[in-house]
């Protein structure tokens, strides 16, 4: 016998708080858009297959409040402004990532800040390129 916090516990045996299970737990993750409702049906089968149970869930996700009307998927919170590298998509009420090669934008095709120049490339936002950063090689 071992002593655990002042109690004698038989060696090699531990009590489990939860009930017995014979199948591994199955977790499913699915998105529920803001301000919508989704119906979820679940079937549970006993370990020997002789009994079945059914559950029907109605899950509702509220929208963001008026003062913070944009959902930020990074912080998983409603915000007033999106983080750098994201823009507020008002049609879906959430922050979305800027186009690749753009540091900051006001829309997917409206870049307003390019990456800083580095040893290999210069980045510019010319007027003729419809809000897309242009990368040009630096001379050696």
């Amino acid at each position: 016998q071992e002593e655990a916090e002042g109690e004698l516990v038989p060696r090699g045996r531990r009590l489990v708080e939860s009930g017995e299970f014979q199948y591994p737990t199955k977790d499913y993750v699915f998105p529920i858009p803001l301000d919508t409702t989704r119906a979820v049906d679940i079937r549970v089968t006993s370990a020997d297959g002789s009994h079945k149970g059914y559950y029907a869930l109605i899950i509702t996700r509220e929208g963001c409040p008026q003062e913070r009307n944009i959902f930020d998927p990074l912080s998983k919170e409603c915000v007033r402004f999106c983080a750098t590298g994201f823009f507020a998509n008002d049609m879906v009420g959430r922050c979305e990532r800027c186009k690749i090669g753009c540091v900051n934008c006001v829309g997917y095709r409206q870049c307003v800040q390019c990456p800083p120049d580095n040893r290999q490339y210069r980045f510019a936002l010319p007027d003729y390129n419809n809000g897309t950063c242009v990368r040009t090689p630096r001379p050696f």
Side-chain angles (χ1 to χ4, degrees):
Q1 291 188 355
E2 301 174 346
E3 187 172 332
E5 295 183 29
E7 297 179 21
L8 292 177
V9 178
R11 189 176 301 242
R13 292 186 65 188
R14 299 278 186 250
L15 296 177
V16 178
E17 289 184 29
S18 64
E20 179 180 337
F21 71 93
Q22 296 181 8
Y23 288 120
T25 302
K26 291 186 180 181
D27 296 322
Y28 294 97
V29 176
F30 51 89
I32 299 176
L34 289 172
D35 206 22
T36 60
T37 298
R38 179 173 277 185
V40 179
D41 295 320
I42 301 172
R43 183 182 77 176
V44 179
T45 306
S46 65
D48 65 2
S50 64
H51 296 84
K52 292 181 173 73
Y54 297 90
Y55 297 90
L57 306 174
I58 304 296
I59 301 170
T60 300
R61 183 175 182 186
E62 295 180 5
C64 289
Q66 187 76 20
E67 64 275 5
R68 294 183 326 251
N69 62 339
I70 307 163
F71 182 75
D72 179 9
L74 292 178
S75 66
K76 297 182 176 33
E77 294 180 335
C78 293
V79 296
R80 289 180 60 193
F81 304 102
C82 296
T84 301
F86 290 80
F87 68 95
N89 184 334
D90 294 324
M91 290 184 66
V92 293
R94 62 186 292 135
C95 297
E96 293 186 0
R97 190 173 297 279
C98 295
K99 194 174 186 179
I100 293 174
C102 179
V103 172
N104 210 358
C105 62
V106 293
Y108 186 74
R109 291 182 173 29
Q110 296 170 301
C111 189
V112 294
Q113 182 183 3
C114 296
D117 294 347
N118 59 34
R119 292 176 59 190
Q120 289 182 307
Y121 299 103
R122 287 189 176 143
F123 297 91
L125 192 59
D127 293 333
Y128 65 84
N129 210 32
N130 298 327
T132 300
C133 292
V134 174
R135 181 181 78 173
T136 55
R138 293 184 84 151
F140 288 107

